[in-house]
Amino acid sequence: MLKILNAGYRLRELLLLITVGLVPVISGLLVMIVQLEMKLSENAAISVQEAVFSIDQALNRMHEAAQRALPLAGKPCEKVKGILQDQVVSRSVLRSLTLVDDSEAYCSSASDSLEYLSSFALSGQQVELSHGQPDSRPKLLVNFYLQGKGVGVIVTAYAIQLRNELDGFQDGLTLLLEFDDRYIWSNGDSRDAQRPSQSEFLAHAFSARYGYRVKGGYAQGFTAQEIRQSMLQILPSLVLVGIVTGSIVYLALLRARAHGRKSAAARA
């Protein structure tokens, strides 16, 4: 009977030591997970705001190019086409400049479809993502329209400059830039079969100046992957803390047991 009681007592001690040792491990992992999720959420919210700032700067450069060409709008094409071409050459981000008179495109520095650009001028949009002209090989372009008094300028640039701005955020976050129903992101655009996954910690930001939207989020499973990686890094330290904590409690139990024996012997 005494052996059974001693075995039960030692089993309770063992369970106590295991529990005490697991407390710092489990609590440490929970704190790590909460901190990681807060970090990812905060990073998504900040990154979309920073992306709006970066994209605005890129569009500001197109706006400056349009302002530079605006005084030429309304003048005969044969007199200003060479100037337009020189302005395009001087800015590597530009593909073409097109002059507009009374909402009709009439002079371009390149062989762009004037009918296609006229429809953009009539659309009321300031900026659009374009898949290229119907009669040319599909290329993702950005059209920017600056309207003056009865005249205007359309600046056309390759959308890769916007993609380069998005590529600056290399931290696992997927940023997607939307212009109405068209979008672009680091590895594709709205011509793809489906949108990229952004299901985790999705955040939004809107450009008040140019009317586009930036969405930022992590792909499905990204958080779990980050937790696993962080767990592998922190788990050895937590286990060590658990072992030390359990050892301290075990020594305390031994002292308490020895003290109990001495007290029992003294009473005897």
Side-chain angles (χ1 to χ4, degrees):
M1 185 66 180
L2 184 60
K3 291 182 178 180
I4 296 176
L5 291 175
N6 288 335
Y9 180 75
R10 290 178 180 177
L11 179 60
R12 288 196 298 271
E13 282 188 346
L14 178 61
L15 293 176
L16 175 62
L17 292 175
I18 292 175
T19 302
V20 170
L22 286 177
V23 167
V25 177
I26 295 174
S27 59
L29 291 176
L30 290 176
V31 170
M32 180 270 294
I33 292 172
V34 171
Q35 290 180 340
L36 177 61
E37 290 182 344
M38 290 176 60
K39 176 184 176 182
L40 293 177
S41 178
E42 181 181 6
N43 183 64
I46 294 175
S47 293
V48 293
Q49 296 293 339
E50 292 179 345
V52 166
F53 177 79
S54 297
I55 298 299
D56 274 358
Q57 293 300 308
L59 295 178
N60 285 343
R61 292 190 288 270
M62 296 182 68
H63 183 269
E64 292 170 1
Q67 284 184 316
R68 185 182 177 190
L70 188 59
L72 303 177
K75 296 181 179 180
C77 185
E78 62 272 12
K79 292 184 178 181
V80 298
K81 187 170 184 177
I83 301 176
L84 291 177
Q85 292 172 338
D86 290 341
Q87 291 184 3
V88 170
V89 171
S90 66
R91 298 201 175 199
S92 59
V93 298
L94 301 184
R95 179 183 181 275
S96 65
L97 289 168
T98 303
L99 302 180
V100 178
D101 189 3
D102 194 22
S103 299
E104 183 177 349
Y106 74 94
C107 183
S108 177
S109 62
S111 57
D112 294 337
S113 170
L114 297 180
E115 181 180 357
Y116 177 84
L117 293 173
S118 295
S119 64
F120 169 58
L122 288 169
S123 68
Q125 294 178 281
Q126 184 181 17
V127 187
E128 73 160 1
L129 279 180
S130 170
H131 293 163
Q133 300 166 32
D135 57 348
S136 64
R137 188 177 66 179
K139 296 178 181 178
L140 194 64
L141 306 173
V142 184
N143 288 326
F144 184 100
Y145 182 40
L146 177 63
Q147 188 172 9
K149 295 182 179 179
V151 295
V153 176
I154 297 175
V155 180
T156 301
Y158 292 106
I160 190 172
Q161 64 170 311
L162 302 184
R163 180 173 284 135
N164 290 340
E165 297 294 339
L166 299 178
D167 287 342
F169 299 84
Q170 299 291 341
D171 53 6
L173 183 70
T174 300
L175 290 172
L176 185 143
L177 174 61
E178 284 186 337
F179 291 89
D180 294 327
D181 60 340
R182 293 181 177 177
Y183 65 86
I184 183 174
W185 65 294
S186 294
N187 297 323
D189 54 63
S190 49
R191 294 171 294 183
D192 298 336
Q194 62 182 11
R195 288 179 172 237
S197 173
Q198 295 178 291
S199 59
E200 298 181 359
F201 302 104
L202 183 63
H204 305 259
F206 181 77
S207 172
R209 183 166 188 178
Y210 295 114
Y212 63 84
R213 185 182 302 275
V214 174
K215 293 182 178 180
Y218 296 93
Q220 185 175 1
F222 180 86
T223 304
Q225 180 181 349
E226 289 294 299
I227 290 175
R228 284 194 297 269
Q229 292 179 354
S230 299
M231 188 179 297
L232 291 175
Q233 294 174 357
I234 196 175
L235 191 58
S237 298
L238 293 177
V239 170
L240 180 60
V241 172
I243 292 173
V244 171
T245 304
S247 300
I248 293 173
V249 173
Y250 179 68
L251 291 175
L253 291 175
L254 287 179
R255 289 179 181 177
R257 188 186 305 169
H259 180 72
R261 288 175 180 174
K262 289 181 180 179
S263 298
R267 287 195 298 268

